[in-house]
Amino acid sequence: MSQTRTRPGPPVVLLVGGTDPSGGAGLAADLKAVAAAGAHGEIAVTAVTFQNSGSVEGWEPVQPGSLSRQIGAVLADGLPGAVKSGMLGGTGAVGELATFLQGPLAGRPYVLDPVLVAGSGDSLHEGGMPGLVRDVLVPLSAVCTPNLDEAEALTGRPVRDRAAMERAAAGIASMGAGA
């Protein structure tokens, strides 16, 4: 696997996450943000959601091994400059992503957005995900960006005021997140 990109162009960010058919979240939003920053996003899909701008009707994870095949195909062009993950959905996706973060992507800046709950309040994960994300992915992250519900899930404590937010941030940093 090449250490540098085989084609010229802007910096590359590998985006790992779920789809959002309404285009307001997930990989669609991540691609827009990366492009606005002047970089090129490459994606690996972890889950397909059935949602619109107001609610999530459901979701399905990709088949086991599919995430690894997608990431492997992208890496065949060379290593990205950074990695960002959003909705992982299933516990298998956590393990597949961690294998790459500890292997060929080790040392690349990794931004973890631990998407566990949609803005509508709907769950976007299988059981056991908060603990697995906390134990496996948080220590690999340069930056962890939970919302209040996700911070509660990761720390096991209510996060409803500024003091609790500061305690949660310190707690997540003590789990190994860079910031």
Side-chain angles (χ1 to χ4, degrees):
M1 189 172 315
S2 171
Q3 291 293 328
T4 58
R5 305 306 294 181
T6 57
R7 58 178 162 22
V12 173
V13 178
L14 173 60
L15 302 166
V16 179
T19 65
D20 173 2
S22 72
L27 292 171
D30 289 343
L31 282 168
K32 292 174 194 173
V34 166
H40 173 72
E42 296 182 339
I43 66 170
V45 179
T46 59
V48 175
T49 67
F50 315 110
Q51 68 185 80
N52 56 39
S53 60
S55 68
V56 177
E57 295 178 21
W59 65 274
E60 293 178 0
V62 297
Q63 293 296 313
S66 176
L67 181 59
S68 292
R69 291 181 64 198
Q70 292 175 74
I71 294 173
V74 169
L75 296 187
D77 279 342
L79 297 177
V83 179
K84 189 261 182 195
S85 70
M87 178 188 181
L88 296 172
T91 56
V94 173
E96 288 182 55
L97 177 58
T99 297
F100 283 95
L101 292 170
Q102 294 168 325
L105 296 172
R108 303 287 170 178
Y110 169 51
V111 176
L112 168 61
D113 179 1
V115 175
L116 300 170
V117 179
S120 60
D122 297 291
S123 176
L124 295 173
H125 66 86
E126 294 175 341
M129 283 288 291
L132 193 58
V133 169
R134 179 189 61 238
D135 297 342
V136 176
L137 296 180
V138 169
L140 299 174
S141 68
V143 179
C144 183
T145 63
N147 64 26
L148 295 179
D149 292 329
E150 294 156 354
E152 286 183 4
L154 293 174
T155 64
R157 291 185 226 128
V159 181
R160 294 294 169 217
D161 59 33
R162 185 171 179 84
M165 289 177 203
E166 291 173 0
R167 285 190 300 275
I172 292 168
S174 74
M175 294 173 196

